[in-house]
Amino acid sequence: MDAKTLLEKLFPNGSEVAFDGLYFAGTGESSHGKVAIIGSIDAAPIGVELAFRMAGEVLRIVRDAPGRPILLLVDTQGQRLSRRDELLGINGYMAHLAKCLQLARNNGHKIIGLVYSEAVSGGFLASSLLSDRCYALPESQVRVMNLPAMSRITKIPLERLEELSKSSPVFAPGVKNYLKMGAVNSLWEGDLAQRLAEALDVPPEGDSRRQWGEEREGRKLARGVAERVRHAAG
Amino acid sequence: MTSYYESSARERLANVLDPGSFHEFLPPTERVISTHLVQLETPAAFDDGIIVGRGTLDGRPVLAAAQEGGFMGGAVGEVHGAKLVGLLERARDEKPAAVLLLVESGGVRLHEANAGLIGVSEIMRAVLALRSAGVPVLVLDGGQFGCFGGMGIVARLCDAIVMSEEGRLGLSGPEVIETTCGVEEFDSRDRALVWRTVGGKHRYLLGEANALVADNVAAFRKAAISLLDTKPDLSLEALTEEHEKLGARLEKFGACRDALDIWSALGIEAPEGLPLLEADAFVAKVAGRRA
């Protein structure tokens, strides 16, 4: 689904969003009042400028619209791969965006992420995965790396990876794997405005993704291991 | 003088913290290994490449984690990530003077890529929650594999970073960029180019690393002690200031093709000589010139 169609479905009462290149931002009218929107289109590579711009918008929202929920609609093929981005410290720009979203969270802004097309690796880390709860459309694509590239790097035969990926959600691409592992809370189907209203009703919570991953049997180790370290004797 | 670069993660913890003070949580005797690696018939480690525990630094209580580059380049898998998340949450309960992260990681472990990516995301959220609760997180970066991928983002979420020249910090490693974009974009075998693009000196000049030290564990320890009283600040004012700085960096250096151009623009004379300087001489020469 393209971003404009998505916005119409999410905000049947209207939205005011300005598109500029791969970036867009604005507000939408939800059943719970105004929602701030920040997003990208066309599987944008997230480089220093885009991360910086999104962070600036988060700061503006914190300043000008206290408490307004923030909806992240980021379509990304991953971090931008270039020597220039590394030279300028791209990881620091992404970290800055994460800090700005934490400031918003600390100030009572709800942060909702919806993967509507693609979410890959570092671009996913620097966007939707930073939300309180990340949701996805069923047709969206989520991954770190495709299996042929993974096979080349890990030296594990592709056939073996393909076979294992039928039973294990742990390495293969696919939004269902991320759902099973708890990173995606749920898939949004049907009336998207209604799904958004439900998400806006969720009370503030900590990071519950390990619990969901364990309950859904996609990530059986993380919660228990973290708990053991947290409460180990000594 | 013990080299930090050459030391194992365990040796680094033993030498950076007060002697004999380190106590490990979930030590190798507990054999908490990655079942995903076992399934792929890949060797697993009894600590999954990360050591977490408590100790003292200059007599003050700290929690500390060290990634072992010798095991899969310190890459983050499900267990590895969960150990670090557990430690960060423990710090929220205990409020130690600081949490020390002795990072060495290529990022997400591809053998369990989804679990690793989600794990890094949980580390990010846990660092931010801990800093919001007032506990500083200090990063030491001087290992053989540097600090890349999601861990490169994690490092920049923290309160302060101590680096040696040998330490590297970035997102996509030079090999990844070369493989994807071609050798003309980034020649990963050009060591001088790699060091000046992602190495400690450049990170210090940009203001990303708070301290640049010689490659020995005593120097890292001393720098970490000096940063113990860092106060986390995620206020609107602090982040607005950070935003202005990052914006100024794009404006001033956005057109630079090489670190040498940036160092020149900072007003440093004969910047091509910087890589040759020892840490102390380097810090003295660039005093007052950092971005």
Side-chain angles (χ1 to χ4, degrees):
Chain A
M1 194 181 307
D2 68 52
K4 285 191 173 137
T5 312
L6 176 72
L7 287 167
E8 282 165 17
K9 288 183 190 271
L10 284 168
F11 301 103
N13 295 331
S15 58
E16 275 183 57
V17 174
F19 287 79
D20 181 12
L22 296 172
Y23 169 86
F24 65 86
T27 55
E29 291 294 340
S30 79
S31 56
H32 294 52
K34 281 193 194 309
V35 171
I37 300 163
I38 303 174
S40 65
I41 58 168
D42 293 346
I46 301 198
V48 289
E49 291 86 0
L50 189 52
F52 178 73
R53 195 162 182 190
M54 290 185 187
E57 180 63 11
V58 175
L59 290 175
R60 193 196 63 74
I61 294 162
V62 170
R63 252 191 316 267
D64 298 346
R68 181 175 293 174
I70 299 171
L71 176 61
L72 300 173
L73 300 174
V74 177
D75 181 12
T76 175
Q77 59 181 263
Q79 69 267 29
R80 190 163 66 195
L81 285 163
S82 82
R83 187 158 63 86
R84 173 178 173 272
D85 280 278
E86 295 300 323
L87 187 64
L88 292 170
I90 180 174
N91 50 317
Y93 284 83
M94 289 180 167
H96 175 63
L97 172 57
K99 287 182 235 180
C100 292
L101 285 168
Q102 181 70 28
L103 164 70
R105 180 179 286 122
N106 291 346
N107 284 14
H109 296 257
K110 179 168 274 300
I111 300 160
I112 297 169
L114 175 63
V115 178
Y116 71 95
S117 179
E118 241 186 283
V120 181
S121 195
F124 192 21
L125 266 186
S127 60
S128 315
L129 279 177
L130 292 166
S131 50
D132 304 338
R133 282 192 177 190
C134 175
Y135 305 91
L137 298 187
E139 67 270 27
S140 62
Q141 298 178 41
V142 185
R143 68 179 174 279
V144 173
M145 191 180 271
N146 62 37
L147 291 187
M150 201 173 280
S151 164
R152 272 200 304 280
I153 295 170
T154 61
K155 314 266 196 293
I156 295 168
L158 181 58
E159 303 73 48
R160 179 92 179 111
L161 290 178
E162 281 171 344
E163 192 200 318
L164 267 176
S165 67
K166 286 177 199 152
S167 57
S168 167
V170 84
F171 57 86
V175 69
K176 292 228 163 86
N177 287 339
Y178 282 81
L179 181 69
K180 212 166 174 214
M181 300 185 82
V184 169
N185 176 272
S186 59
L187 300 180
W188 281 10
E189 298 178 80
D191 182 345
L192 297 186
Q194 181 56 32
R195 299 290 90 77
L196 176 61
E198 288 157 9
L200 288 166
D201 275 332
V202 176
E205 62 190 344
D207 188 345
S208 308
R209 291 175 289 183
R210 276 164 284 152
Q211 281 90 308
W212 301 333
E214 188 178 46
E215 286 159 18
R216 299 168 189 179
E217 298 185 354
R219 208 155 48 110
K220 297 177 193 166
L221 303 171
R223 194 204 57 83
V225 168
E227 226 30 40
R228 282 177 72 186
V229 170
R230 186 173 183 169
H231 300 296
Chain B
M1 297 253 254
T2 306
S3 162
Y4 188 95
Y5 187 79
E6 305 280 350
S7 295
S8 69
R10 286 180 190 281
E11 289 165 343
R12 287 175 193 150
L13 281 171
N15 288 308
V16 166
L17 299 176
D18 296 342
S21 73
F22 186 69
H23 169 84
E24 184 173 355
F25 306 135
L26 252 57
T29 48
E30 300 274 335
R31 306 199 166 193
V32 182
I33 60 167
S34 164
T35 51
H36 311 307
L37 293 179
V38 174
Q39 195 178 33
L40 289 167
E41 289 147 28
T42 299
F46 291 144
D47 57 18
D48 206 37
I50 187 168
I51 301 145
V52 297
R54 66 160 171 75
T56 59
L57 180 63
D58 202 28
R60 297 167 68 181
V62 294
L63 294 180
Q67 295 175 303
E68 175 53 64
F71 180 69
M72 310 199 87
V76 180
E78 180 173 355
V79 169
H80 184 116
K83 285 174 79 174
L84 185 45
V85 169
L87 188 81
L88 293 162
E89 295 194 332
R90 185 182 183 112
R92 230 158 73 201
D93 302 336
E94 289 184 357
K95 302 275 163 55
V99 174
L100 268 54
L101 302 184
L102 283 59
V103 295
E104 181 172 9
S105 180
V108 169
R109 186 186 296 167
L110 288 178
H111 304 73
E112 37 188 305
N114 300 339
L117 190 76
I118 300 166
V120 170
S121 167
E122 288 172 336
I123 294 166
M124 289 171 66
R125 287 280 300 274
V127 165
L128 289 166
L130 180 60
R131 293 191 63 209
S132 300
V135 178
V137 185
L138 310 177
V139 172
L140 311 188
D141 176 12
Q144 303 193 23
F145 288 82
C147 179
F148 289 97
M151 285 306 298
I153 307 178
V154 170
R156 293 284 285 123
L157 286 177
C158 298
D159 290 87
I161 302 177
V162 179
M163 288 183 82
S164 59
E165 178 179 10
E166 290 80 0
R168 281 152 292 148
L169 178 62
L171 185 62
S172 307
E175 295 82 4
V176 176
I177 296 177
E178 183 185 312
T179 306
T180 315
C181 310
V183 68
E184 59 286 348
E185 174 65 22
F186 205 157
D187 183 352
S188 67
R189 279 156 304 175
D190 184 342
R191 291 174 64 85
L193 175 68
V194 171
W195 292 120
R196 71 177 183 266
T197 306
V198 292
K201 283 177 174 168
H202 180 54
R203 297 295 148 207
Y204 181 74
L205 285 168
L206 281 183
E208 295 184 342
N210 303 65
L212 191 282
V213 299
D215 172 38
N216 69 72
V217 285
F220 272 93
R221 172 179 159 85
K222 194 173 153 206
I225 290 172
S226 76
L227 290 164
L228 270 178
D229 288 313
T230 307
K231 293 272 173 284
D233 187 356
L234 288 172
S235 67
L236 178 59
E237 295 69 35
L239 291 179
T240 302
E241 194 188 318
E242 179 171 273
H243 195 71
E244 282 162 7
K245 273 190 185 166
L246 289 172
R249 188 191 295 177
L250 288 181
E251 218 158 274
K252 281 187 210 156
F253 310 131
C256 292
R257 286 296 299 154
D258 194 286
L260 290 173
D261 304 331
I262 295 180
W263 302 350
S264 266
L266 287 170
I268 294 164
E269 283 172 37
E272 63 283 357
L274 289 184
L276 301 171
L277 295 175
E278 296 291 333
D280 289 345
F282 167 82
V283 169
K285 178 170 164 92
V286 304
R289 294 286 181 199
R290 296 165 68 210

